[in-house]
Amino acid sequence: MQRRSAARLSPLLLLLLLLLPLAWGAGPWPPRADRELQVSSRLAGQAARVALHYLNYRLGSPSALRALGQVRKATVKPIPGIGHKYYLQFTTEDYKSSQNVGTCLATVLYLKRKPRPAVNINCTYTKDQKQTREDDYSFYKKLRQQTKPITGNDTPDSYGHIEPALEPAWALAVAGSSYLMWEKSTENLGYFMAQVKNVKQWITKDDSIDFDYLVILHEIPTQEMISCHLRVIWTPGHPLKVKYFCLSENQRSESGEGSGTESGSTNGIFNEEEANF
């Protein structure tokens, strides 16, 4: 009797073992709790940079570009069947002057089934927003008054120097490449724009500023250098338009297009006190 009872139970046990992974959505183990990361870890810094890539692209302002200062807090939460969500607090620096320009709170969700991370980010601003808009307009006016298209090569040069005449083109390259670095980033791969190999400005009949670039991305941690053709169209106060085509050292090609309508959020300005979560 006991043997027959055990034989009847074994199919039920087998069914239970098969159904548990589906219930948990991510394999045979229950979901893990949130895990705090070392603020100096590569994963924390990489997720913070992804959030800034998204911010720089969505703001579309060459006068408001930000770089990562320091990560103050980082936590990762596994979401079964979906991916990993990072909760971040970090300081930022002005891309050009390296001066502190405020603190950001962000979430970065690396999805298993979609190519680019989902980002929500809110930041404080130490720089006057009216002044930023005025700087953008002065920047725009200077480019519109060009009678000869801007062209250049190898920016910055081997000594890290950027010619003053190429600084506007460099700033828009940073903003435009932020889109493709955000789109290409994964939980294990991050990107820096290493150099603008060449740039050409198109003189347009409408109100837009139009640049063609060949940029070099540095992939971390593989150390691979990736060449990307980048088209950036910009008008102050309007979403940045970006098209790109990339070819890696192993001849893997990728292309994409951004119009400023992608999902995510950069809405809201919070007080410094709210950053202490």
Side-chain angles (χ1 to χ4, degrees):
M1 290 294 290
Q2 290 179 345
R3 289 179 181 177
R4 286 198 297 272
S5 177
R8 285 196 297 272
L9 286 175
S10 58
L12 294 176
L13 290 172
L14 179 61
L15 180 62
L16 181 61
L17 290 172
L18 290 172
L19 290 177
L20 278 175
L22 297 177
W24 286 326
W29 301 109
R32 294 176 295 169
D34 295 8
R35 177 166 59 95
E36 191 164 343
L37 299 175
Q38 292 288 333
V39 294
S40 59
S41 70
R42 180 177 64 83
L43 289 177
Q46 189 164 291
R49 289 187 183 91
V50 167
L52 284 177
H53 290 329
Y54 175 80
L55 178 70
N56 285 336
Y57 160 63
R58 285 300 297 266
L59 291 181
S61 168
S63 303
L65 294 171
R66 297 191 186 206
L68 179 62
Q70 292 183 334
V71 178
R72 289 181 175 173
K73 190 171 184 179
T75 302
V76 60
K77 177 182 180 180
I79 302 178
I82 297 176
H84 289 153
K85 190 170 188 177
Y86 287 71
Y87 297 82
L88 305 154
Q89 177 188 344
F90 52 89
T91 62
T92 60
E93 299 175 349
D94 181 84
Y95 206 94
K96 185 177 180 180
S97 69
S98 298
Q99 293 182 340
N100 185 287
V101 289
T103 299
C104 296
L105 299 178
T107 61
V108 177
L109 175 59
Y110 293 103
L111 300 167
K112 289 184 176 181
R113 296 183 177 89
K114 291 185 179 180
R116 63 188 177 206
V119 177
N120 284 281
I121 182 169
N122 295 294
C123 300
T124 59
Y125 293 86
T126 59
K127 188 175 180 180
D128 182 70
Q129 296 301 288
K130 182 179 179 182
Q131 184 62 51
T132 299
R133 289 191 293 270
E134 290 176 355
D135 290 345
D136 272 352
Y137 181 73
S138 296
F139 180 96
Y140 170 79
K141 188 176 179 181
K142 182 179 179 181
L143 288 173
R144 289 296 297 172
Q145 290 174 344
Q146 292 281 139
T147 56
K148 184 179 179 181
I150 293 175
T151 59
N153 299 289
D154 299 330
T155 306
D157 61 21
S158 57
Y159 299 98
H161 176 70
I162 299 175
E163 293 182 23
L166 292 176
E167 285 183 356
W170 168 260
L172 281 176
V174 172
S177 66
S178 293
Y179 170 75
L180 67 98
M181 289 188 289
W182 163 52
E183 184 164 87
K184 286 172 64 63
S185 291
T186 68
E187 191 169 11
N188 298 313
L189 293 176
Y191 298 88
F192 293 89
M193 189 181 79
Q195 190 180 51
V196 174
K197 287 299 292 181
N198 58 63
V199 56
K200 179 181 179 180
Q201 181 185 7
W202 296 97
I203 301 299
T204 61
K205 294 182 180 180
D206 60 15
D207 294 334
S208 65
I209 302 297
D210 192 339
F211 278 101
D212 265 340
Y213 298 94
L214 176 61
V215 300
I216 306 298
L217 301 185
H218 185 191
E219 186 177 83
I220 303 297
T222 66
Q223 305 302 320
E224 185 175 355
M225 306 305 285
I226 301 173
S227 299
C228 296
H229 289 273
L230 186 67
R231 183 78 176 267
V232 177
I233 300 174
W234 175 69
T235 306
H238 294 272
L240 199 65
K241 295 181 180 180
V242 180
K243 290 184 178 181
Y244 73 88
F245 175 83
C246 296
L247 191 64
S248 64
E249 291 175 348
N250 60 14
Q251 303 301 303
R252 184 181 74 251
S253 64
E254 292 179 288
S255 61
E257 180 176 352
S259 60
T261 59
E262 294 76 14
S263 61
S265 173
T266 60
N267 295 329
I269 299 174
F270 61 86
N271 298 321
E272 193 70 38
E273 293 78 15
E274 295 180 57
N276 298 317
F277 68 91

